[in-house]
Amino acid sequence: MRRILLRRFAQIIPLILGVIVLNFALIQMSPGSFLDVMTAEQQVSDPAMIERMRVLYGMDKPVIIQLLKYIWSVLTLDFGYSYRQNETVLAVIMQALPATVILMLASIAIALLVGVLAGVVAAVKVNTLWDNLISVGAVFFFAAPTFWLGIMLMIVFSVRLGWLPVGGMRDIGVDHGVIGIALDVMRHLALPALSLGLFYAAMYTRVMRASMLEVFRHDFVRTARAKGLSGAQVVVRHVFRNALLPVVTLLGLQLGTVLGGSVVIETVFSWPDIGSLMLDSVMSRNYPVVLGVLVLSSLIVAVANALVDIAYFRLDPRIRAR
Amino acid sequence: MISRRDFLTTTAGFALASSLPLPALAQATPKRGGTLTGTWGGFEPQALFVPPGGGSSPYFTSTKILERLLRLDGALNFQPVLALEVTPAADFKSYIVKLRPNVTWHDGKPFTADDVVFNALSYWKPVSAGLALKALTGAEAVDPLTVKLTFNTTVPEFFLKSVLAGKSGLVIPKHIYDGKELLTNPANNAPIGTGPFKVKEWVRGSHVEMTRNEAYWDAGRPYIDRLVIRWWRDPASRSAAFEAGQLDIGCFNPIPVPDIKRLEATKKFVSTTKGYENSAWVATVEFNSRRDIVKNVAVRQALMHAIDREFIGDTIFFGLATPSTGFIPASNTLFYTKDVEQYPFDPKLAAKKLDAAGFPLKGKSRFKLSVVSAGWFEENVKMGQYLKQALEDVGVEVDLAIPDRATSLKRIYSDYEYDIAISNNSGPIELVPNWTQFVTTDGIVKGAAFRNANGNSDPKLDALVEQLTTQTDPAKRKALAVEFQQGVAKALPITSLVDIGSVTIARADVRDHSQDADFMGESWSRVWLDR
């Protein structure tokens, strides 16, 4: 196991180098530059001022030098400076990071809980009314655009009922103490996490149901039944555990995307997430921020992959033997 | 039949109604206190204050904190802010600025003539208003409350005052910025100004909270205790926030147009198009004079007849935009003239004129043009698609591109890679340099956005703008401005398709808003809540 983990972490360095070079090249190749966007947005049309900004942004140097300088600074754990936000890239990302992680973990938790439960119920009661209801629900939440779902939830719970806030992450300027703040964030988190979570839950439901049905057909399940184990014991100990593997795979993939955020949901709920930062940075060709987010993401993907490996070992000892 | 008397009374009534401040309510005594939550129809700024300008979003936030020497009110008169008066010398080559006494910065330091000198020489001229203040040669403090600005040409009074009251005229503290890099100064994210509000906390991605400046020079103001500027990325969410009572005022088209009527019908909200006179928006069309076919003025004129501006205003902008009659929007009551060459929608006439210009139909088309529509507004996307259809109707093949922001900027303003471009301009009342730089020869600067990208170079027009820049007699200036608009309308290097109306939505209990020529960029010290 340790060898596999070591191998996983050894993959990180070439991965990050690849991410940097590839994305740097992509941004350089896309038409328009950071300087164009900044000067246009600031309506700078004085040639002397444009030249001053070009030097400030380091864009007077050849592209290859810019790339090498960037790689060197990443190696020294310096992600550079974002002239757009007027702060270091790390500070910019760190400001968006907590909100992103909270939202994504909450929605994945909802998805996992709802999805696995619904999948198990649907598989156990296969071809009954329950199964059909769950399947229809899963298709609905998978197909319904998340922004629509978000706006509908908002209209019901925030505008009509007035129970929950319409957006943001905190009530402004109210100091409630630690517990108060946690409750406040949870109130704001409920709708975005739910609309995102239900979308993911639909996926988990489908995968869990299919996987359960698959395992039900295996010989060892028949053996377990023949031994005289109760239905619940068979389902929980034998089927459920084996059926979890594909769900863990899916979960691993999803944990890797945690840093991506969800532009759609944060747009609707104005959740201060990393997705819109990323979108804005791509649109303005602000490559230090884009690369900074991507480098952190690749780190997280590597860690998530390692975690999934560990989970496999726990769930299925046969993998360890291989 | 309408009698003469009826006519007089109705027009008088109309004139009266339009001069009333909005919302048209009796001037009650302002109440103190409360929290005002405001937003605008765009995103969070990159920094709270962006020295060279930074567009609408930083302008919106920074103007609550930083002030200017003057402001332009809704009747287009300059009112004192940090300056009590700005007076030209007899030869209009220098101006004396008398400053308001007893003004302090948010950190307690006094505001003096040294600050203004620093701003003029180290901020306005080199960074924010280089083109407008080209003629500025010096600024000196005559005494602690008097500054003398000197120029190497005559400078019209309206022109200088509009620079001082304009987007680039914010006054920043010398003791914070002197000797340090302006563009990356940490104070840009937590500005220290003289304004009615002080920054308390900026939560990126969410809001900025500002508190009342207790030491504000205008005693009793601001009326509100706390100002929260919050950003939503989605117009529908802003509507929901209004309805849930979590948003009080939104400037610059915060919500979808169909929602405006719905909200107003509840009587809890009012909408107004006032307060945008000094930052009027237009959608522009320009013809690249470096390209073979469209450098022909007869072709440009013919193509203009093929475009239905009513359709653009009514359908693409849901009636929020009105057809332009020339380059300068009609809301510019000081300089606008309707007396320019008009190109009414008439596809048959367009076809006839194209035939006459030497481009008859060959098979299905006359020629092929590349149209670039700058994709930063949803409406530009639709206008591009509409233009393609409209031009194809008169036998012009169109190669349409609607690139994203960065690519659009590059294609139109750096590479000049288009025949016809659709873009936008937002400009003040004063025509120089914001409007004139789209057509003058010195406006051609490769890579500088929102300047002359069409390559127009006409010595007569250049001379006209030169006179407009130095003519100090207001009546003569107006005549020059008319001549300028006529020249542009005839040669058509660029013209406006529609004047885009901007709307502010506010709760009915928000009082005394939208009373300046650029309300979004005012300090909001006079806004109050009737709760």
Side-chain angles (χ1 to χ4, degrees):
Chain A
M1 184 159 111
R2 189 177 296 151
R3 227 181 50 222
I4 294 181
L5 286 184
L6 277 178
R7 208 165 61 205
R8 282 263 182 262
F9 286 114
Q11 285 166 353
I12 291 180
I13 291 167
L15 176 76
I16 288 178
L17 269 181
V19 163
I20 292 178
V21 174
L22 195 70
N23 288 291
F24 188 86
L26 276 176
I27 290 178
Q28 289 295 335
M29 279 191 297
S30 51
S33 71
F34 183 58
L35 186 70
D36 290 340
V37 174
M38 291 296 277
T39 53
E41 204 168 61
Q42 313 191 359
Q43 301 221 345
V44 175
S45 44
D46 184 354
M49 188 65 208
I50 293 179
E51 204 41 49
R52 190 169 152 189
M53 288 165 79
R54 189 195 309 278
V55 174
L56 178 69
Y57 300 158
M59 288 171 65
D60 52 335
K61 308 230 166 41
V63 174
I64 192 76
I65 302 288
Q66 290 180 40
L67 175 63
L68 290 176
K69 268 177 93 172
Y70 184 78
I71 292 177
W72 174 247
S73 65
V74 169
L75 288 180
T76 55
L77 293 180
D78 170 14
F79 286 94
Y81 192 82
S82 168
Y83 289 100
R84 205 170 155 69
Q85 279 87 6
N86 209 9
E87 278 189 87
T88 63
V89 170
L90 203 61
V92 172
I93 293 176
M94 281 309 160
Q95 279 165 358
L97 203 60
T100 309
V101 172
I102 290 175
L103 175 63
M104 292 310 277
L105 290 185
S107 58
I108 289 176
I110 291 176
L112 203 61
L113 210 71
V114 174
V116 167
L117 210 67
V120 170
V121 171
V124 173
K125 311 244 178 211
V126 68
N127 292 335
T128 62
L129 181 68
W130 285 103
D131 183 23
N132 288 336
L133 277 180
I134 288 172
S135 294
V136 168
V139 169
F140 174 78
F141 286 118
F142 193 72
T146 37
F147 75 87
W148 177 84
L149 196 64
I151 291 178
M152 289 304 127
L153 285 174
M154 189 199 282
I155 287 177
V156 173
F157 289 100
S158 310
V159 177
R160 294 269 173 264
L161 297 174
W163 292 350
L164 294 167
V166 280
M169 191 174 167
R170 294 260 314 269
D171 271 345
I172 295 164
V174 189
D175 209 359
H176 315 276
V178 179
I179 295 173
I181 289 174
L183 284 175
D184 188 36
V185 170
M186 271 156 78
R187 253 164 46 84
H188 286 81
L189 180 66
L191 292 184
L194 201 64
S195 27
L196 202 56
L198 286 178
F199 170 73
Y200 293 143
M203 268 190 298
Y204 284 108
T205 308
R206 302 299 296 171
V207 171
M208 191 69 200
R209 178 178 176 274
S211 168
M212 288 282 287
L213 291 178
E214 163 97 25
V215 178
F216 265 125
R217 279 201 296 272
H218 280 301
D219 291 340
F220 68 87
V221 178
R222 197 182 311 147
T223 312
R225 286 221 176 94
K227 283 197 305 206
L229 289 180
S230 73
Q233 270 178 324
V234 174
V235 168
V236 173
R237 285 216 196 127
H238 293 81
V239 183
F240 180 70
R241 190 166 165 178
N242 283 292
L244 265 184
L245 280 181
V247 172
V248 170
T249 312
L250 196 62
L251 178 69
L253 282 175
Q254 207 160 32
L255 280 177
T257 65
V258 156
L259 265 198
S262 166
V263 176
V264 174
I265 284 300
E266 69 201 58
T267 299
V268 171
F269 291 101
S270 50
W271 188 260
D273 196 333
I274 221 162
S276 31
L277 173 70
M278 187 73 173
L279 183 69
D280 180 67
S281 302
V282 172
M283 296 306 277
S284 59
R285 312 286 190 262
N286 187 3
Y287 74 85
V289 174
V290 176
L291 291 180
V293 175
L294 289 174
V295 167
L296 279 185
S297 294
S298 45
L299 271 174
I300 293 201
V301 169
V303 172
N305 275 339
L307 286 178
V308 168
D309 284 343
I310 296 173
Y312 279 163
F313 293 146
R314 288 245 160 263
L315 286 171
D316 191 344
R318 284 172 303 175
I319 293 176
R320 210 174 320 182
R322 247 178 256 153
Chain B
M1 209 187 94
I2 305 172
S3 74
R4 188 183 152 81
R5 211 193 119 157
D6 278 341
F7 182 71
L8 279 176
T9 48
T10 45
T11 45
F14 177 73
L16 195 71
S18 60
S19 69
L20 275 179
L22 258 154
L25 293 156
Q27 294 288 306
T29 322
K31 291 182 189 164
R32 266 287 327 273
T35 296
L36 181 77
T37 305
T39 193
W40 77 294
F43 302 157
E44 182 178 25
Q46 56 271 41
L48 289 189
F49 164 59
V50 178
S56 304
S57 193
Y59 177 59
F60 180 46
T61 49
S62 62
T63 46
K64 312 295 168 276
I65 309 153
L66 300 164
E67 290 185 302
R68 281 158 282 190
L69 295 180
L70 302 167
R71 73 182 164 89
L72 190 61
D73 70 13
L76 304 189
N77 295 317
F78 290 102
Q79 301 293 347
V81 183
L82 290 179
L84 292 175
E85 53 190 44
V86 176
T87 23
D91 63 353
F92 286 94
K93 284 188 163 182
S94 68
Y95 280 75
I96 294 290
V97 182
K98 286 263 178 223
L99 300 176
R100 187 180 292 281
N102 306 322
V103 175
T104 54
W105 297 98
H106 291 163
D107 59 6
K109 299 242 165 53
F111 160 77
T112 66
D114 284 342
D115 288 306
V116 176
V117 170
F118 170 77
N119 275 274
L121 299 179
S122 305
Y123 172 39
W124 301 338
K125 185 162 163 96
V127 177
S128 69
L131 286 165
L133 295 179
K134 208 165 61 182
L136 180 77
T137 51
E140 54 173 321
V142 179
D143 65 54
L145 291 174
T146 312
V147 176
K148 185 180 178 192
L149 301 173
T150 43
F151 301 87
N152 59 15
T153 59
T154 55
V155 174
E157 189 175 344
F158 184 86
F159 171 83
L160 180 71
K161 286 186 170 177
S162 102
V163 173
L164 298 180
K167 287 195 160 97
S168 50
L170 292 172
V171 179
I172 58 177
K174 180 184 180 190
H175 64 276
I176 303 278
Y177 284 93
D178 196 15
K180 294 181 191 122
E181 175 61 55
L182 204 62
L183 297 182
T184 56
N185 197 304
N188 298 345
N189 283 341
I192 289 168
T194 55
F197 298 99
K198 301 197 228 186
V199 182
K200 187 176 173 209
E201 187 193 20
W202 177 19
V203 181
R204 268 196 201 267
S206 170
H207 67 274
V208 57
E209 185 186 347
M210 302 181 197
T211 51
R212 185 173 191 268
N213 176 8
E214 300 294 339
Y216 191 51
W217 52 264
D218 199 355
R221 289 175 180 152
Y223 296 118
I224 46 185
D225 284 337
R226 204 157 61 120
L227 174 66
V228 176
I229 290 177
R230 192 160 178 182
W231 304 282
W232 281 266
R233 292 180 77 93
D234 178 33
S237 305
R238 290 186 204 116
S239 298
F242 268 123
E243 287 184 274
Q246 293 171 20
L247 176 59
D248 301 310
I249 185 166
C251 296
F252 196 66
N253 311 326
I255 62 176
V257 179
D259 279 1
I260 298 177
K261 285 204 179 82
R262 190 167 60 80
L263 286 189
E264 271 194 310
T266 64
K267 302 268 182 230
K268 283 188 215 147
F269 300 94
V270 291
S271 78
T272 173
T273 53
K274 289 207 164 206
Y276 295 97
E277 294 82 358
N278 205 28
S279 62
W281 278 81
V282 290
T284 56
V285 59
E286 57 197 301
F287 297 95
N288 193 343
S289 49
R290 299 169 189 86
R291 296 290 182 104
D292 267 340
I293 297 166
V294 289
K295 76 177 177 200
N296 183 339
V297 173
V299 171
R300 299 177 182 181
Q301 293 177 335
L303 293 179
M304 286 310 293
H305 283 293
I307 304 171
D308 185 357
R309 303 173 192 209
E310 298 269 346
F311 174 85
I312 295 177
D314 293 344
T315 308
I316 296 179
F317 285 89
F318 293 100
L320 203 64
T322 48
S324 309
T325 57
F327 184 37
I328 305 303
S331 63
N332 189 336
T333 47
L334 229 49
F335 293 114
Y336 166 80
T337 176
K338 210 191 160 164
D339 183 23
V340 301
E341 195 96 33
Q342 295 296 315
Y343 303 95
F345 176 55
D346 187 348
K348 286 210 186 83
L349 183 62
K352 212 156 72 190
K353 283 195 167 183
L354 284 172
D355 289 343
F359 295 100
L361 273 177
K362 283 183 212 145
K364 271 188 176 168
S365 86
R366 301 167 195 274
F367 47 76
K368 189 170 179 176
L369 294 180
S370 117
V371 173
V372 175
S373 188
W376 46 70
F377 288 145
E378 184 53 35
E379 290 85 357
N380 288 12
V381 175
K382 294 177 188 159
M383 269 192 287
Q385 289 158 349
Y386 166 71
L387 195 65
K388 180 179 163 83
Q389 286 175 19
L391 294 186
E392 278 170 355
D393 284 348
V394 296
V396 175
E397 229 182 301
V398 170
D399 180 14
L400 174 68
I402 309 176
D404 76 338
R405 182 171 50 172
T407 316
S408 300
L409 290 170
K410 189 168 162 60
R411 275 194 72 169
I412 300 175
Y413 298 103
S414 293
D415 298 348
Y416 307 135
E417 205 192 315
Y418 69 92
D419 288 309
I420 301 179
I422 293 181
S423 180
N424 301 89
N425 187 35
S426 138
I429 302 268
E430 174 57 52
L431 303 184
V432 184
N434 189 299
W435 295 94
T436 54
Q437 67 186 0
F438 281 89
V439 292
T440 53
T441 308
D442 64 7
I444 305 175
V445 176
K446 224 173 158 56
F450 309 111
R451 297 191 75 175
N452 185 346
N454 48 63
N456 184 63
S457 178
D458 173 4
K460 254 179 75 187
L461 210 58
D462 289 349
L464 197 63
V465 171
E466 194 54 44
Q467 284 181 51
L468 196 58
T469 313
T470 51
Q471 175 57 256
T472 54
D473 179 72
K476 285 186 187 151
R477 273 200 103 206
K478 162 88 193 198
L480 288 167
V482 167
E483 213 180 314
F484 169 77
Q485 291 171 68
Q486 286 164 340
V488 173
K490 195 157 233 150
L492 284 177
I494 186 169
T495 194
S496 298
L497 288 172
V498 285
D499 297 2
I500 305 172
S502 304
V503 178
T504 298
I505 314 287
R507 277 169 65 121
D509 58 6
V510 180
R511 295 295 161 83
D512 288 355
H513 61 82
S514 308
Q515 295 182 351
D516 293 289
D518 188 5
F519 174 66
M520 198 175 148
E522 282 307 328
S523 73
W524 293 18
S525 66
R526 279 158 293 136
V527 176
W528 57 283
L529 296 168
D530 193 8
R531 289 185 188 157

